[in-house]
Amino acid sequence: MKDNDCIFCKIVNGECPSYKIFENEYTLAFLDISKDTFGHTLVIPKKHFENVFECDDFYLQEVIKTTKLVANHYKNLGFKAVNILNASGKEAGQSVFHLHFHILPKMDATDFDAWPKFKNDAEDLESQWNKLKM
Ligand code: DGP
């Protein structure tokens, strides 16, 4: 996808509106359009990178710094906790191909469940480790 086809680039450039929570030279945080949970926020780099696989280290650091800043801001507003989520690649559920971290602030444990329930039946850890170690 070219930058000029990207909805998040259009938000950065002011071609599309958004409810901005925070902005600096390199990053932008704004409310997710879905209204699925109160305060659902997206943090993006102002430069177009598809996802974590291709984002350069500088921008990735800036995005995670802004994610922390906004998370702390929400804590100061009275939220108790946050889930921070990222999908990189369509198989992981990524639908907008401009890197973003979701921040889901939570008032309490029963607000909603952003953590998937697994079957816990993957192979034993030593076997996984033998295949995965770097
Ligand atoms: P993901 O599935 O992780 O790629 O999440 C993409 C999110 O982007 C999804 O929660 C909805 C949000 N989104 C898509 N289009 C827009 C838009 O035009 N404005 C805003 N604010 N959010 C959008």
Side-chain angles (χ1 to χ4, degrees):
M1 177 186 281
K2 295 208 315 288
D3 292 20
N4 52 10
D5 295 326
C6 171
I7 183 67
F8 289 177
C9 286
K10 287 181 179 166
I11 287 174
V12 169
N13 297 335
E15 293 167 54
C16 287
S18 70
Y19 288 94
K20 292 180 186 172
I21 300 294
F22 174 81
E23 174 170 25
N24 65 14
E25 191 177 350
Y26 305 109
T27 65
L28 176 63
F30 57 98
L31 292 179
D32 190 288
I33 205 166
S34 63
K35 292 195 296 177
D36 49 4
T37 66
F38 184 85
H40 184 168
T41 302
L42 302 174
V43 182
I44 66 170
K46 287 189 170 178
K47 188 173 171 185
H48 184 87
F49 299 100
E50 219 171 78
N51 49 41
V52 291
F53 297 117
E54 67 159 38
C55 187
D56 77 33
D57 289 351
F58 174 79
Y59 273 92
L60 198 52
Q61 283 174 40
E62 291 299 316
V63 168
I64 203 68
K65 276 160 61 180
T66 295
T67 302
K68 177 181 173 181
L69 196 71
V70 173
N72 274 311
H73 169 63
Y74 288 161
K75 201 144 190 275
N76 291 336
L77 289 180
F79 289 97
K80 302 283 189 306
V82 293
N83 286 104
I84 295 169
L85 306 172
N86 166 259
S88 283
K90 67 175 171 19
E91 294 79 0
Q94 185 174 8
S95 61
V96 176
F97 289 86
H98 181 130
L99 174 70
H100 51 282
F101 287 94
H102 298 252
I103 303 177
L104 304 173
K106 297 197 71 163
M107 277 299 179
D108 58 58
T110 57
D111 264 2
F112 54 85
D113 190 1
W115 204 257
K117 296 282 173 283
F118 298 106
K119 286 186 278 176
N120 300 92
D121 60 354
E123 57 196 88
D124 67 86
L125 294 187
E126 185 168 354
S127 151
Q128 292 186 37
W129 176 70
N130 279 320
K131 293 173 182 165
L132 298 173
K133 63 192 173 192
M134 295 170 79

Short mmCIF file of all heavy atoms in Angstrom, two decimals, residues 1 7-8 22 38 58 79 99 101 108 113:
data_model
loop_
_atom_site.label_atom_id
_atom_site.label_comp_id
_atom_site.label_asym_id
_atom_site.label_seq_id
_atom_site.Cartn_x
_atom_site.Cartn_y
_atom_site.Cartn_z
N MET A 1 0.84 -1.20 0.00
CA MET A 1 0.00 0.00 0.00
C MET A 1 0.88 1.26 0.00
O MET A 1 1.80 1.36 0.79
CB MET A 1 -0.90 0.00 1.24
CG MET A 1 -1.76 1.23 1.36
SD MET A 1 -2.66 1.26 2.91
CE MET A 1 -3.99 0.14 2.55
N ILE A 7 -5.08 5.31 5.46
CA ILE A 7 -5.99 6.13 6.27
C ILE A 7 -5.25 6.81 7.43
O ILE A 7 -5.54 7.97 7.77
CB ILE A 7 -7.21 5.31 6.77
CG1 ILE A 7 -8.20 6.17 7.54
CG2 ILE A 7 -6.79 4.12 7.61
CD1 ILE A 7 -8.90 7.20 6.71
N PHE A 8 -4.29 6.11 8.04
CA PHE A 8 -3.58 6.72 9.17
C PHE A 8 -2.63 7.82 8.70
O PHE A 8 -2.44 8.82 9.40
CB PHE A 8 -2.84 5.66 10.00
CG PHE A 8 -3.76 4.76 10.81
CD1 PHE A 8 -3.24 3.71 11.55
CD2 PHE A 8 -5.13 4.97 10.85
CE1 PHE A 8 -4.07 2.89 12.31
CE2 PHE A 8 -5.98 4.15 11.59
CZ PHE A 8 -5.44 3.10 12.32
N PHE A 22 -2.77 12.96 21.97
CA PHE A 22 -1.41 13.47 22.16
C PHE A 22 -0.71 13.46 20.80
O PHE A 22 -0.96 12.59 19.97
CB PHE A 22 -0.63 12.59 23.14
CG PHE A 22 0.83 12.97 23.27
CD1 PHE A 22 1.22 14.03 24.09
CD2 PHE A 22 1.80 12.31 22.53
CE1 PHE A 22 2.56 14.41 24.18
CE2 PHE A 22 3.14 12.66 22.62
CZ PHE A 22 3.51 13.72 23.45
N PHE A 38 -14.34 2.21 26.24
CA PHE A 38 -14.10 3.62 26.55
C PHE A 38 -12.59 3.89 26.56
O PHE A 38 -11.85 3.23 27.27
CB PHE A 38 -14.73 3.98 27.91
CG PHE A 38 -14.60 5.44 28.23
CD1 PHE A 38 -15.54 6.35 27.77
CD2 PHE A 38 -13.53 5.90 28.99
CE1 PHE A 38 -15.42 7.71 28.05
CE2 PHE A 38 -13.41 7.26 29.28
CZ PHE A 38 -14.35 8.16 28.81
N PHE A 58 14.28 3.73 15.54
CA PHE A 58 14.03 5.05 16.12
C PHE A 58 12.53 5.28 16.29
O PHE A 58 12.06 5.65 17.37
CB PHE A 58 14.66 6.15 15.25
CG PHE A 58 14.30 7.52 15.75
CD1 PHE A 58 14.96 8.08 16.84
CD2 PHE A 58 13.25 8.23 15.16
CE1 PHE A 58 14.59 9.33 17.32
CE2 PHE A 58 12.88 9.48 15.64
CZ PHE A 58 13.56 10.03 16.72
N PHE A 79 -7.91 5.51 35.55
CA PHE A 79 -7.94 4.11 35.11
C PHE A 79 -6.95 3.31 35.95
O PHE A 79 -5.91 3.82 36.38
CB PHE A 79 -7.56 4.00 33.62
CG PHE A 79 -8.61 4.53 32.70
CD1 PHE A 79 -8.53 5.83 32.20
CD2 PHE A 79 -9.69 3.75 32.34
CE1 PHE A 79 -9.50 6.34 31.35
CE2 PHE A 79 -10.67 4.24 31.49
CZ PHE A 79 -10.58 5.54 30.99
N LEU A 99 1.71 0.84 11.14
CA LEU A 99 1.98 0.38 12.51
C LEU A 99 1.15 1.13 13.56
O LEU A 99 1.08 2.35 13.52
CB LEU A 99 3.46 0.57 12.83
CG LEU A 99 3.86 0.27 14.28
CD1 LEU A 99 3.79 -1.21 14.58
CD2 LEU A 99 5.24 0.81 14.59
N PHE A 101 -0.13 0.72 17.94
CA PHE A 101 -0.38 0.02 19.20
C PHE A 101 -1.74 0.47 19.71
O PHE A 101 -2.03 1.67 19.73
CB PHE A 101 0.70 0.33 20.23
CG PHE A 101 2.01 -0.34 19.94
CD1 PHE A 101 3.01 0.31 19.23
CD2 PHE A 101 2.25 -1.64 20.34
CE1 PHE A 101 4.21 -0.32 18.94
CE2 PHE A 101 3.44 -2.29 20.06
CZ PHE A 101 4.42 -1.62 19.36
N ASP A 108 -11.60 -1.62 35.82
CA ASP A 108 -11.47 -2.77 36.71
C ASP A 108 -11.41 -4.05 35.89
O ASP A 108 -11.61 -4.04 34.67
CB ASP A 108 -12.59 -2.82 37.76
CG ASP A 108 -13.95 -2.86 37.12
OD1 ASP A 108 -14.19 -3.78 36.33
OD2 ASP A 108 -14.76 -1.97 37.42
N ASP A 113 -12.65 -8.29 28.51
CA ASP A 113 -11.51 -9.20 28.51
C ASP A 113 -10.77 -9.07 27.19
O ASP A 113 -11.25 -9.50 26.15
CB ASP A 113 -11.99 -10.65 28.71
CG ASP A 113 -10.83 -11.59 28.96
OD1 ASP A 113 -9.67 -11.12 28.98
OD2 ASP A 113 -11.09 -12.79 29.14
#
